[in-house]
Amino acid sequence: MDIKDVIARGENKVVEFKSWVKIPNKKELMEILTNETVGFSNAEGGIILVGVEDNGEITGCQDYDEQSIIESIYDRTVPKVFTDIENITIDGKEILKIIVPKAPETVATSRGTVYKRLGKNTKPFYPGEYQSNIIQGFKGDFSAKILKDTSEFDIDFHEVESLKLKIKSRDKDSTLYQEDDLSFLRDLRLIEDNSDGVRLTIAGLLFVGKKESIVRHLPQAEIILLTYNNDGQTEYNKRLELKVPLISAVDRIQQIFEDRNSIQNIQMGLFKLEVYDYPTNVFQEALLNAIAHRDYESTSSIIIKYYPSEIIIENPGSFPLGIDSNNIITHPSAPRNKLIAETLQRLKYVQRSGQGVDIIFKDMLSLGKSAPEYKLYTEAVSLTLRSSLEDIEFLRFINKETEENGDFSVSEICILKYVKMNKIISLSKAAEVAQITTQSATNVLNVLCKKKNILQRENRNRYMFTHRVYESFDDNIEYTKDKDFDEIQAKTMIIDYLSKNTFMTRADVERLCGFSSTSSKRILKKLREDGTLILEGKSRSSIYKLK
Protein backbone atom coordinates (compact mmCIF):
# COMPACT_ATOMS: atom_id res chain seq x y z
CA MET A 1 0.00 0.00 0.00
CA ASP A 2 1.27 3.49 -0.88
CA ILE A 3 2.52 5.42 2.17
CA LYS A 4 0.10 8.27 1.39
CA ASP A 5 -2.79 5.82 1.57
CA VAL A 6 -1.47 4.53 4.92
CA ILE A 7 -1.40 8.09 6.28
CA ALA A 8 -4.85 8.87 4.85
CA ARG A 9 -6.33 5.93 6.77
CA GLY A 10 -5.03 7.30 10.05
CA GLU A 11 -3.59 5.64 13.11
CA ASN A 12 -4.62 2.06 13.91
CA LYS A 13 -3.35 -1.05 15.68
CA VAL A 14 -0.23 -1.23 13.46
CA VAL A 15 0.32 2.46 12.54
CA GLU A 16 1.36 5.35 14.82
CA PHE A 17 2.06 9.00 13.89
CA LYS A 18 4.66 11.04 15.79
CA SER A 19 5.57 14.70 15.35
CA TRP A 20 9.20 15.69 15.00
CA VAL A 21 8.74 19.47 15.11
CA LYS A 22 6.49 19.61 18.19
CA ILE A 23 9.01 17.79 20.44
CA PRO A 24 12.21 19.89 20.35
CA ASN A 25 13.79 17.82 23.14
CA LYS A 26 15.09 14.83 21.15
CA LYS A 27 15.86 12.84 24.31
CA GLU A 28 12.17 13.05 25.19
CA LEU A 29 11.27 12.05 21.64
CA MET A 30 13.52 8.97 21.87
CA GLU A 31 11.72 7.91 25.04
CA ILE A 32 8.35 8.30 23.31
CA LEU A 33 9.53 6.29 20.29
CA THR A 34 10.87 3.61 22.64
CA ASN A 35 7.50 3.34 24.41
CA GLU A 36 5.68 2.98 21.08
CA THR A 37 8.22 0.38 19.96
CA VAL A 38 7.65 -1.66 23.12
CA GLY A 39 3.88 -1.41 22.61
CA PHE A 40 4.07 -2.70 19.04
CA SER A 41 6.57 -5.42 20.01
CA ASN A 42 4.15 -6.82 22.58
CA ALA A 43 1.26 -6.82 20.10
CA GLU A 44 1.39 -7.50 16.36
CA GLY A 45 4.32 -5.28 15.43
CA GLY A 46 3.76 -2.11 13.42
CA ILE A 47 5.23 1.08 11.96
CA ILE A 48 5.89 4.50 13.49
CA LEU A 49 5.76 7.40 11.01
CA VAL A 50 7.87 10.23 12.44
CA GLY A 51 7.20 13.64 10.91
CA VAL A 52 3.43 13.09 10.67
CA GLU A 53 0.98 14.83 13.01
CA ASP A 54 -1.95 13.07 14.70
CA ASN A 55 -4.33 14.48 12.07
CA GLY A 56 -2.20 13.11 9.23
CA GLU A 57 -0.53 16.43 8.34
CA ILE A 58 3.00 15.85 7.04
CA THR A 59 5.40 18.25 8.78
CA GLY A 60 8.60 16.28 8.17
CA CYS A 61 11.87 15.68 10.02
CA GLN A 62 15.14 17.61 10.03
CA ASP A 63 18.69 17.06 11.26
CA TYR A 64 18.18 13.42 12.19
CA ASP A 65 20.57 10.47 12.37
CA GLU A 66 18.86 7.18 11.43
CA GLN A 67 21.59 5.03 12.97
CA SER A 68 21.41 6.99 16.22
CA ILE A 69 17.64 6.42 16.43
CA ILE A 70 18.01 2.67 15.82
CA GLU A 71 20.73 2.40 18.47
CA SER A 72 18.79 4.53 20.95
CA ILE A 73 15.72 2.27 20.72
CA TYR A 74 17.95 -0.79 20.92
CA ASP A 75 19.69 0.48 24.07
CA ARG A 76 16.38 1.43 25.75
CA THR A 77 14.60 -1.95 25.35
CA VAL A 78 14.88 -5.26 27.25
CA PRO A 79 15.26 -7.69 25.58
CA LYS A 80 16.79 -5.64 22.78
CA VAL A 81 14.51 -4.76 19.86
CA PHE A 82 15.99 -4.50 16.38
CA THR A 83 14.08 -1.91 14.35
CA ASP A 84 14.56 -0.79 10.77
CA ILE A 85 14.17 2.75 9.38
CA GLU A 86 13.19 3.91 5.90
CA ASN A 87 13.58 7.52 4.76
CA ILE A 88 10.56 8.63 2.68
CA THR A 89 10.09 11.96 0.89
CA ILE A 90 6.50 13.19 0.45
CA ASP A 91 5.77 16.55 -1.19
CA GLY A 92 9.32 17.68 -0.49
CA LYS A 93 9.25 16.73 3.18
CA GLU A 94 11.16 13.86 4.71
CA ILE A 95 9.51 11.45 7.15
CA LEU A 96 10.92 8.39 8.91
CA LYS A 97 9.22 5.00 8.81
CA ILE A 98 10.32 2.95 11.83
CA ILE A 99 9.47 -0.72 11.33
CA VAL A 100 8.88 -2.65 14.57
CA PRO A 101 8.68 -6.47 14.50
CA LYS A 102 6.46 -8.53 16.77
CA ALA A 103 8.60 -9.82 19.66
CA PRO A 104 8.72 -13.52 20.56
CA GLU A 105 8.56 -12.62 24.25
CA THR A 106 7.40 -9.74 26.44
CA VAL A 107 9.49 -6.58 25.95
CA ALA A 108 10.00 -3.75 28.44
CA THR A 109 11.80 -0.44 28.42
CA SER A 110 15.19 -0.29 30.12
CA ARG A 111 13.37 1.42 33.01
CA GLY A 112 11.23 -1.69 33.51
CA THR A 113 7.97 -0.31 32.05
CA VAL A 114 5.90 -2.52 29.74
CA TYR A 115 3.43 -1.28 27.11
CA LYS A 116 1.12 -2.94 24.61
CA ARG A 117 -0.68 -1.63 21.54
CA LEU A 118 -4.47 -1.61 21.93
CA GLY A 119 -6.30 -0.33 18.87
CA LYS A 120 -4.72 2.99 17.96
CA ASN A 121 -3.31 3.67 21.42
CA THR A 122 -0.36 2.34 23.42
CA LYS A 123 -1.31 1.40 26.99
CA PRO A 124 0.59 0.19 30.08
CA PHE A 125 0.84 -3.60 30.20
CA TYR A 126 0.76 -5.13 33.68
CA PRO A 127 2.35 -8.42 34.88
CA GLY A 128 -1.00 -10.16 35.39
CA GLU A 129 -1.76 -9.66 31.69
CA TYR A 130 1.56 -11.03 30.41
CA GLN A 131 1.32 -13.92 28.02
CA SER A 132 4.47 -14.92 26.18
CA ASN A 133 4.34 -14.78 22.42
CA ILE A 134 6.54 -17.88 22.29
CA ILE A 135 4.47 -20.79 21.02
CA GLN A 136 5.33 -24.33 21.99
CA GLY A 137 7.96 -25.57 19.61
CA PHE A 138 9.99 -22.84 17.90
CA LYS A 139 10.17 -19.12 18.55
CA GLY A 140 7.77 -17.00 16.53
CA ASP A 141 6.90 -19.72 13.97
CA PHE A 142 3.31 -20.95 13.82
CA SER A 143 4.24 -23.85 11.54
CA ALA A 144 6.57 -25.18 14.28
CA LYS A 145 3.82 -25.25 16.91
CA ILE A 146 3.28 -28.67 18.53
CA LEU A 147 -0.23 -30.10 18.15
CA LYS A 148 -0.84 -31.69 21.53
CA ASP A 149 -3.78 -33.83 20.40
CA THR A 150 -1.85 -35.61 17.65
CA SER A 151 0.00 -38.90 17.76
CA GLU A 152 1.85 -41.40 15.60
CA PHE A 153 -1.55 -42.59 14.32
CA ASP A 154 -1.99 -39.25 12.52
CA ILE A 155 1.06 -39.90 10.33
CA ASP A 156 0.62 -41.17 6.75
CA PHE A 157 3.75 -43.28 6.34
CA HIS A 158 3.23 -43.52 2.57
CA GLU A 159 3.84 -39.75 2.52
CA VAL A 160 6.93 -40.25 4.67
CA GLU A 161 8.28 -42.75 2.15
CA SER A 162 7.52 -40.31 -0.67
CA LEU A 163 9.55 -37.58 1.06
CA LYS A 164 12.45 -39.99 1.55
CA LEU A 165 12.47 -40.91 -2.13
CA LYS A 166 12.49 -37.24 -3.15
CA ILE A 167 15.49 -36.50 -0.92
CA LYS A 168 17.28 -39.62 -2.16
CA SER A 169 16.85 -38.63 -5.82
CA ARG A 170 17.47 -34.89 -5.40
CA ASP A 171 20.22 -34.69 -2.77
CA LYS A 172 23.02 -37.16 -3.44
CA ASP A 173 24.95 -36.06 -0.34
CA SER A 174 22.08 -36.57 2.09
CA THR A 175 21.77 -39.66 4.29
CA LEU A 176 18.41 -38.62 5.77
CA TYR A 177 16.48 -41.14 3.68
CA GLN A 178 18.43 -44.00 5.28
CA GLU A 179 17.00 -43.31 8.74
CA ASP A 180 13.94 -45.01 10.21
CA ASP A 181 10.71 -43.09 9.68
CA LEU A 182 10.44 -41.46 13.11
CA SER A 183 14.11 -40.43 13.19
CA PHE A 184 13.68 -39.00 9.71
CA LEU A 185 10.69 -36.91 10.80
CA ARG A 186 12.43 -35.88 14.02
CA ASP A 187 15.48 -34.63 12.10
CA LEU A 188 13.19 -32.58 9.86
CA ARG A 189 11.52 -31.24 13.03
CA LEU A 190 8.14 -32.45 11.79
CA ILE A 191 7.50 -34.35 15.03
CA GLU A 192 8.40 -34.11 18.69
CA ASP A 193 9.10 -37.42 20.41
CA ASN A 194 9.29 -37.52 24.23
CA SER A 195 7.88 -39.42 27.23
CA ASP A 196 4.37 -38.36 26.23
CA GLY A 197 4.77 -40.02 22.84
CA VAL A 198 4.86 -38.65 19.31
CA ARG A 199 3.35 -35.23 18.59
CA LEU A 200 3.22 -33.55 15.18
CA THR A 201 4.08 -29.93 14.49
CA ILE A 202 1.81 -27.88 12.23
CA ALA A 203 4.39 -28.41 9.46
CA GLY A 204 4.48 -32.13 10.25
CA LEU A 205 0.71 -32.41 9.92
CA LEU A 206 0.81 -30.54 6.60
CA PHE A 207 3.63 -32.62 5.11
CA VAL A 208 2.91 -36.16 6.39
CA GLY A 209 -0.49 -36.04 8.11
CA LYS A 210 -3.32 -38.32 7.06
CA LYS A 211 -6.08 -36.59 5.08
CA GLU A 212 -8.62 -37.04 7.86
CA SER A 213 -6.12 -35.73 10.42
CA ILE A 214 -5.53 -32.57 8.37
CA VAL A 215 -9.30 -32.03 8.09
CA ARG A 216 -9.74 -32.57 11.83
CA HIS A 217 -6.88 -30.44 13.14
CA LEU A 218 -6.39 -27.82 10.40
CA PRO A 219 -9.45 -27.78 8.09
CA GLN A 220 -8.46 -24.40 6.64
CA ALA A 221 -5.26 -25.90 5.19
CA GLU A 222 -6.77 -26.24 1.75
CA ILE A 223 -5.73 -25.33 -1.78
CA ILE A 224 -8.56 -24.69 -4.25
CA LEU A 225 -7.89 -24.72 -8.00
CA LEU A 226 -10.50 -23.03 -10.21
CA THR A 227 -10.38 -23.09 -14.01
CA TYR A 228 -12.25 -20.70 -16.32
CA ASN A 229 -13.04 -20.92 -20.03
CA ASN A 230 -12.88 -17.16 -20.64
CA ASP A 231 -10.85 -14.25 -19.24
CA GLY A 232 -12.81 -12.14 -16.77
CA GLN A 233 -15.39 -14.89 -16.32
CA THR A 234 -16.96 -15.00 -12.85
CA GLU A 235 -18.27 -18.56 -13.00
CA TYR A 236 -15.63 -21.30 -13.04
CA ASN A 237 -16.15 -24.46 -15.05
CA LYS A 238 -13.96 -26.73 -12.88
CA ARG A 239 -13.16 -26.77 -9.16
CA LEU A 240 -10.59 -28.93 -7.40
CA GLU A 241 -10.33 -28.89 -3.59
CA LEU A 242 -7.13 -30.32 -2.12
CA LYS A 243 -7.09 -31.12 1.60
CA VAL A 244 -4.11 -33.43 1.33
CA PRO A 245 -0.44 -33.34 2.42
CA LEU A 246 1.42 -30.42 0.87
CA ILE A 247 3.75 -32.33 -1.45
CA SER A 248 0.87 -34.40 -2.85
CA ALA A 249 -1.03 -31.16 -3.47
CA VAL A 250 1.99 -29.48 -5.10
CA ASP A 251 2.63 -32.46 -7.40
CA ARG A 252 -1.03 -32.61 -8.41
CA ILE A 253 -1.24 -28.89 -9.17
CA GLN A 254 2.08 -28.98 -11.02
CA GLN A 255 0.80 -31.76 -13.28
CA ILE A 256 -2.36 -29.80 -14.12
CA PHE A 257 -0.23 -26.72 -14.81
CA GLU A 258 2.13 -28.58 -17.16
CA ASP A 259 -0.79 -30.09 -19.07
CA ARG A 260 -2.16 -26.59 -19.77
CA ASN A 261 1.13 -24.74 -20.30
CA SER A 262 1.40 -24.06 -24.04
CA ILE A 263 4.52 -23.24 -26.10
CA GLN A 264 5.11 -20.46 -28.62
CA ASN A 265 8.07 -20.75 -31.01
CA ILE A 266 10.03 -17.52 -31.52
CA GLN A 267 12.52 -17.29 -34.38
CA MET A 268 15.98 -16.34 -33.09
CA GLY A 269 18.25 -16.10 -36.11
CA LEU A 270 18.75 -19.64 -37.38
CA PHE A 271 17.01 -21.39 -34.50
CA LYS A 272 13.67 -21.25 -32.74
CA LEU A 273 13.25 -20.49 -29.06
CA GLU A 274 10.44 -22.30 -27.24
CA VAL A 275 8.65 -19.87 -24.92
CA TYR A 276 6.09 -21.28 -22.51
CA ASP A 277 3.01 -19.36 -21.43
CA TYR A 278 4.52 -19.42 -17.94
CA PRO A 279 8.07 -20.51 -17.04
CA THR A 280 7.76 -23.68 -14.95
CA ASN A 281 10.06 -22.39 -12.22
CA VAL A 282 8.07 -19.13 -11.99
CA PHE A 283 4.78 -20.93 -11.32
CA GLN A 284 6.46 -23.29 -8.87
CA GLU A 285 8.09 -20.41 -6.95
CA ALA A 286 4.75 -18.57 -6.81
CA LEU A 287 2.92 -21.68 -5.54
CA LEU A 288 5.58 -22.51 -2.93
CA ASN A 289 5.67 -18.89 -1.77
CA ALA A 290 1.93 -19.06 -1.15
CA ILE A 291 2.37 -22.25 0.90
CA ALA A 292 5.27 -20.89 2.96
CA HIS A 293 3.77 -17.42 3.54
CA ARG A 294 0.06 -18.07 4.02
CA ASP A 295 -1.62 -17.43 7.35
CA TYR A 296 -2.63 -20.91 8.55
CA GLU A 297 -4.68 -19.41 11.37
CA SER A 298 -6.95 -17.77 8.79
CA THR A 299 -10.09 -19.67 7.82
CA SER A 300 -9.55 -18.78 4.15
CA SER A 301 -7.87 -21.07 1.62
CA ILE A 302 -5.19 -20.63 -1.01
CA ILE A 303 -7.10 -20.14 -4.27
CA ILE A 304 -5.52 -20.57 -7.71
CA LYS A 305 -7.57 -19.16 -10.59
CA TYR A 306 -6.54 -20.46 -14.02
CA TYR A 307 -7.79 -18.28 -16.90
CA PRO A 308 -6.86 -18.72 -20.59
CA SER A 309 -4.36 -15.83 -20.46
CA GLU A 310 -3.51 -15.38 -16.76
CA ILE A 311 -3.07 -17.16 -13.45
CA ILE A 312 -4.13 -15.52 -10.19
CA ILE A 313 -2.95 -16.90 -6.83
CA GLU A 314 -4.85 -15.56 -3.82
CA ASN A 315 -3.21 -16.16 -0.46
CA PRO A 316 -4.58 -15.62 3.09
CA GLY A 317 -2.47 -13.25 5.15
CA SER A 318 -0.95 -9.87 4.33
CA PHE A 319 2.72 -9.27 3.49
CA PRO A 320 5.14 -9.75 6.40
CA LEU A 321 5.81 -6.53 8.28
CA GLY A 322 8.12 -4.21 6.33
CA ILE A 323 7.41 -5.74 2.91
CA ASP A 324 5.22 -4.07 0.31
CA SER A 325 4.91 -3.91 -3.47
CA ASN A 326 7.69 -1.29 -3.61
CA ASN A 327 10.40 -3.46 -2.05
CA ILE A 328 9.20 -7.02 -2.56
CA ILE A 329 11.97 -7.89 -5.05
CA THR A 330 14.91 -6.99 -2.81
CA HIS A 331 13.58 -7.13 0.76
CA PRO A 332 15.31 -9.83 2.83
CA SER A 333 13.29 -13.02 3.09
CA ALA A 334 10.77 -13.19 5.92
CA PRO A 335 8.71 -16.38 5.54
CA ARG A 336 5.69 -16.44 7.85
CA ASN A 337 6.13 -20.19 8.33
CA LYS A 338 9.86 -20.77 8.66
CA LEU A 339 9.71 -24.52 9.30
CA ILE A 340 7.58 -25.08 6.20
CA ALA A 341 10.03 -22.99 4.13
CA GLU A 342 13.02 -24.91 5.53
CA THR A 343 11.36 -28.28 4.84
CA LEU A 344 10.69 -27.29 1.23
CA GLN A 345 14.35 -26.38 0.97
CA ARG A 346 15.47 -29.71 2.47
CA LEU A 347 13.28 -31.46 -0.10
CA LYS A 348 14.95 -29.41 -2.86
CA TYR A 349 11.70 -27.80 -4.00
CA VAL A 350 13.35 -24.41 -3.55
CA GLN A 351 17.02 -23.42 -3.74
CA ARG A 352 16.78 -21.36 -0.56
CA SER A 353 14.18 -20.75 2.09
CA GLY A 354 13.46 -17.30 0.71
CA GLN A 355 10.89 -15.43 -1.26
CA GLY A 356 11.93 -16.35 -4.80
CA VAL A 357 10.21 -13.13 -5.91
CA ASP A 358 13.39 -11.99 -7.68
CA ILE A 359 13.24 -15.18 -9.80
CA ILE A 360 9.60 -14.50 -10.69
CA PHE A 361 10.30 -10.92 -11.82
CA LYS A 362 13.51 -11.71 -13.69
CA ASP A 363 12.21 -14.69 -15.67
CA MET A 364 8.88 -13.10 -16.61
CA LEU A 365 10.49 -9.87 -17.86
CA SER A 366 13.36 -11.69 -19.62
CA LEU A 367 10.83 -13.66 -21.67
CA GLY A 368 9.14 -10.50 -22.89
CA LYS A 369 6.14 -10.87 -20.59
CA SER A 370 4.58 -8.30 -18.30
CA ALA A 371 5.86 -7.97 -14.74
CA PRO A 372 4.09 -10.04 -12.08
CA GLU A 373 1.41 -7.99 -10.36
CA TYR A 374 1.06 -8.13 -6.56
CA LYS A 375 -2.01 -6.69 -4.85
CA LEU A 376 -2.26 -6.26 -1.09
CA TYR A 377 -5.58 -6.50 0.71
CA THR A 378 -6.36 -6.23 4.42
CA GLU A 379 -6.00 -9.95 5.09
CA ALA A 380 -4.74 -11.37 1.79
CA VAL A 381 -2.26 -11.01 -1.07
CA SER A 382 -2.88 -11.84 -4.73
CA LEU A 383 -0.34 -12.46 -7.49
CA THR A 384 -1.23 -12.26 -11.19
CA LEU A 385 0.94 -13.86 -13.89
CA ARG A 386 0.06 -13.13 -17.53
CA SER A 387 0.96 -15.46 -20.40
CA SER A 388 0.96 -13.09 -23.38
CA LEU A 389 4.23 -12.11 -25.06
CA GLU A 390 4.21 -8.39 -24.44
CA ASP A 391 7.55 -7.55 -26.05
CA ILE A 392 9.16 -10.06 -28.44
CA GLU A 393 11.91 -7.55 -29.29
CA PHE A 394 12.97 -7.40 -25.65
CA LEU A 395 12.98 -11.20 -25.48
CA ARG A 396 15.26 -11.42 -28.53
CA PHE A 397 17.49 -8.64 -27.19
CA ILE A 398 17.95 -10.22 -23.73
CA ASN A 399 18.54 -13.67 -25.23
CA LYS A 400 21.20 -12.39 -27.64
CA GLU A 401 22.98 -10.26 -25.03
CA THR A 402 22.95 -13.15 -22.52
CA GLU A 403 24.65 -15.41 -25.05
CA GLU A 404 27.36 -12.83 -25.71
CA ASN A 405 27.86 -11.19 -22.31
CA GLY A 406 26.49 -13.60 -19.70
CA ASP A 407 23.44 -13.55 -17.49
CA PHE A 408 21.73 -10.40 -16.23
CA SER A 409 20.73 -9.71 -12.64
CA VAL A 410 17.12 -8.95 -11.75
CA SER A 411 18.10 -5.29 -11.17
CA GLU A 412 19.61 -5.06 -14.66
CA ILE A 413 16.54 -6.67 -16.24
CA CYS A 414 14.16 -4.26 -14.50
CA ILE A 415 16.21 -1.24 -15.61
CA LEU A 416 16.59 -2.44 -19.21
CA LYS A 417 12.87 -3.15 -19.45
CA TYR A 418 12.10 0.40 -18.31
CA VAL A 419 14.52 1.90 -20.85
CA LYS A 420 12.98 -0.22 -23.61
CA MET A 421 9.54 1.15 -22.75
CA ASN A 422 10.48 4.75 -21.92
CA LYS A 423 13.71 5.30 -23.91
CA ILE A 424 15.47 7.19 -21.06
CA ILE A 425 15.94 6.44 -17.37
CA SER A 426 17.18 8.68 -14.57
CA LEU A 427 19.29 7.50 -11.67
CA SER A 428 16.42 7.93 -9.21
CA LYS A 429 13.99 6.06 -11.47
CA ALA A 430 16.52 3.23 -11.90
CA ALA A 431 16.70 2.87 -8.11
CA GLU A 432 12.90 2.86 -7.94
CA VAL A 433 12.19 0.27 -10.64
CA ALA A 434 14.96 -2.05 -9.41
CA GLN A 435 13.96 -1.47 -5.76
CA ILE A 436 17.55 -0.74 -4.72
CA THR A 437 19.45 2.20 -3.23
CA THR A 438 20.71 5.05 -5.39
CA GLN A 439 24.31 3.91 -4.83
CA SER A 440 23.45 0.37 -5.94
CA ALA A 441 21.61 1.74 -8.96
CA THR A 442 24.71 3.74 -9.92
CA ASN A 443 26.77 0.55 -9.81
CA VAL A 444 24.23 -1.38 -11.90
CA LEU A 445 24.06 1.39 -14.51
CA ASN A 446 27.86 1.48 -14.74
CA VAL A 447 27.93 -2.29 -15.31
CA LEU A 448 25.34 -1.97 -18.09
CA CYS A 449 27.39 0.80 -19.69
CA LYS A 450 30.41 -1.55 -19.77
CA LYS A 451 28.55 -4.60 -21.12
CA LYS A 452 29.30 -4.01 -24.79
CA ASN A 453 27.85 -0.51 -24.34
CA ILE A 454 24.24 -1.45 -23.74
CA LEU A 455 23.61 1.90 -22.05
CA GLN A 456 25.22 5.30 -22.43
CA ARG A 457 24.81 8.58 -20.58
CA GLU A 458 22.27 10.92 -22.15
CA ASN A 459 23.38 13.58 -19.67
CA ARG A 460 24.18 13.73 -15.96
CA ASN A 461 22.35 10.91 -14.17
CA ARG A 462 20.23 10.08 -17.25
CA TYR A 463 20.83 7.01 -19.40
CA MET A 464 19.64 5.58 -22.72
CA PHE A 465 20.36 2.66 -25.02
CA THR A 466 23.36 2.97 -27.33
CA HIS A 467 22.94 3.09 -31.11
CA ARG A 468 24.10 -0.51 -31.32
CA VAL A 469 21.15 -1.58 -29.22
CA TYR A 470 18.61 0.65 -30.95
CA GLU A 471 19.70 -0.65 -34.34
CA SER A 472 19.00 -4.20 -33.14
CA PHE A 473 15.33 -3.28 -32.67
CA ASP A 474 12.80 -2.86 -35.46
CA ASP A 475 12.68 0.38 -37.45
CA ASN A 476 9.56 1.53 -35.61
CA ILE A 477 11.68 2.13 -32.50
CA GLU A 478 12.64 5.82 -32.71
CA TYR A 479 16.03 6.96 -31.53
CA THR A 480 15.72 9.24 -28.54
CA LYS A 481 18.46 11.54 -29.78
CA ASP A 482 19.10 13.11 -33.15
CA LYS A 483 21.66 11.08 -35.14
CA ASP A 484 23.49 14.16 -36.38
CA PHE A 485 23.97 15.36 -32.82
CA ASP A 486 25.25 11.92 -31.81
CA GLU A 487 27.83 11.95 -34.60
CA ILE A 488 29.02 15.42 -33.59
CA GLN A 489 29.35 14.22 -30.01
CA ALA A 490 31.18 11.09 -31.21
CA LYS A 491 33.63 13.19 -33.21
CA THR A 492 34.46 15.21 -30.07
CA MET A 493 34.93 12.02 -28.05
CA ILE A 494 37.22 10.46 -30.68
CA ILE A 495 39.41 13.56 -30.98
CA ASP A 496 39.64 13.82 -27.19
CA TYR A 497 40.64 10.13 -26.98
CA LEU A 498 43.36 10.49 -29.65
CA SER A 499 44.73 13.61 -27.99
CA LYS A 500 45.64 11.35 -25.06
CA ASN A 501 46.44 8.15 -26.99
CA THR A 502 48.57 7.47 -30.07
CA PHE A 503 45.92 5.57 -32.05
CA MET A 504 42.57 3.79 -31.81
CA THR A 505 40.80 0.95 -33.61
CA ARG A 506 37.24 0.67 -34.87
CA ALA A 507 36.49 -1.58 -31.91
CA ASP A 508 37.67 1.24 -29.64
CA VAL A 509 35.16 3.56 -31.32
CA GLU A 510 32.35 1.06 -30.74
CA ARG A 511 33.20 0.83 -27.04
CA LEU A 512 33.77 4.58 -26.65
CA CYS A 513 30.68 5.85 -28.47
CA GLY A 514 28.31 2.94 -28.09
CA PHE A 515 27.97 2.57 -31.87
CA SER A 516 27.34 -0.59 -33.84
CA SER A 517 29.96 -1.79 -36.31
CA THR A 518 28.07 -0.11 -39.17
CA SER A 519 27.77 3.24 -37.40
CA SER A 520 31.45 3.16 -36.39
CA LYS A 521 32.55 2.59 -39.98
CA ARG A 522 30.39 5.50 -41.13
CA ILE A 523 31.68 8.01 -38.58
CA LEU A 524 35.32 6.99 -39.15
CA LYS A 525 34.87 7.35 -42.90
CA LYS A 526 33.50 10.89 -42.46
CA LEU A 527 36.38 11.86 -40.17
CA ARG A 528 38.88 10.60 -42.77
CA GLU A 529 37.10 12.43 -45.58
CA ASP A 530 37.09 15.76 -43.71
CA GLY A 531 40.81 15.36 -42.95
CA THR A 532 40.50 14.79 -39.20
CA LEU A 533 41.89 11.23 -39.17
CA ILE A 534 44.29 9.12 -41.17
CA LEU A 535 44.12 5.34 -41.60
CA GLU A 536 47.15 3.10 -41.25
CA GLY A 537 47.24 -0.64 -41.95
CA LYS A 538 44.62 -2.87 -43.47
CA SER A 539 41.86 -5.20 -42.33
CA ARG A 540 42.28 -6.25 -38.67
CA SER A 541 45.55 -4.28 -38.44
CA SER A 542 43.83 -0.98 -39.27
CA ILE A 543 44.41 1.85 -36.82
CA TYR A 544 43.31 5.49 -36.83
CA LYS A 545 45.39 8.53 -35.87
CA LEU A 546 44.88 12.27 -35.75
CA LYS A 547 46.11 13.92 -38.94
Side-chain angles (χ1 to χ4, degrees), residues 266-449:
I266 305 299
Q267 194 69 41
M268 302 285 293
L270 298 178
F271 76 96
K272 290 184 177 180
L273 178 66
E274 292 185 344
V275 179
Y276 283 92
D277 286 344
Y278 311 94
T280 301
N281 65 317
V282 164
F283 178 76
Q284 180 169 296
E285 287 286 348
L287 175 59
L288 296 176
N289 277 351
I291 289 171
H293 288 274
R294 75 151 287 178
D295 181 359
Y296 283 97
E297 294 181 275
S298 169
T299 56
S300 301
S301 306
I302 295 175
I303 299 177
I304 303 171
K305 297 179 179 179
Y306 212 128
Y307 293 94
S309 63
E310 66 183 22
I311 296 175
I312 301 175
I313 300 177
E314 298 174 350
N315 202 34
S318 59
F319 282 140
L321 186 65
I323 298 179
D324 55 39
S325 57
N326 296 318
N327 65 6
I328 191 170
I329 301 177
T330 55
H331 195 285
S333 170
R336 178 179 274 108
N337 303 287
K338 187 177 180 181
L339 183 54
I340 290 177
E342 289 176 350
T343 304
L344 290 170
Q345 184 181 22
R346 297 285 291 274
L347 295 172
K348 299 301 180 182
Y349 272 87
V350 293
Q351 292 299 314
R352 63 196 192 281
S353 57
Q355 290 176 273
V357 174
D358 52 348
I359 295 175
I360 296 174
F361 269 83
K362 178 184 175 183
D363 288 5
M364 289 294 285
L365 293 176
S366 297
L367 289 175
K369 300 180 182 293
S370 60
E373 181 181 342
Y374 284 89
K375 290 183 180 178
L376 176 62
Y377 302 94
T378 305
E379 298 295 339
V381 174
S382 75
L383 166 63
T384 300
L385 303 172
R386 296 183 174 87
S387 62
S388 61
L389 261 174
E390 181 183 77
D391 194 340
I392 294 179
E393 283 185 340
F394 191 71
L395 162 66
R396 291 191 176 116
F397 163 67
I398 292 297
N399 191 273
K400 181 176 181 295
E401 294 294 332
T402 299
E403 286 183 354
E404 295 180 358
N405 303 316
D407 202 13
F408 289 101
S409 68
V410 63
S411 298
E412 292 171 336
I413 290 291
C414 290
I415 290 172
L416 291 175
K417 177 65 175 180
Y418 184 91
V419 178
K420 174 65 166 56
M421 296 175 64
N422 299 278
K423 300 183 175 63
I424 290 179
I425 192 168
S426 65
L427 175 59
S428 59
K429 178 58 71 172
E432 177 186 332
V433 300
Q435 298 184 7
I436 53 180
T437 64
T438 303
Q439 182 58 54
S440 296
T442 300
N443 295 336
V444 173
L445 290 165
N446 288 339
V447 169
L448 289 172
C449 287

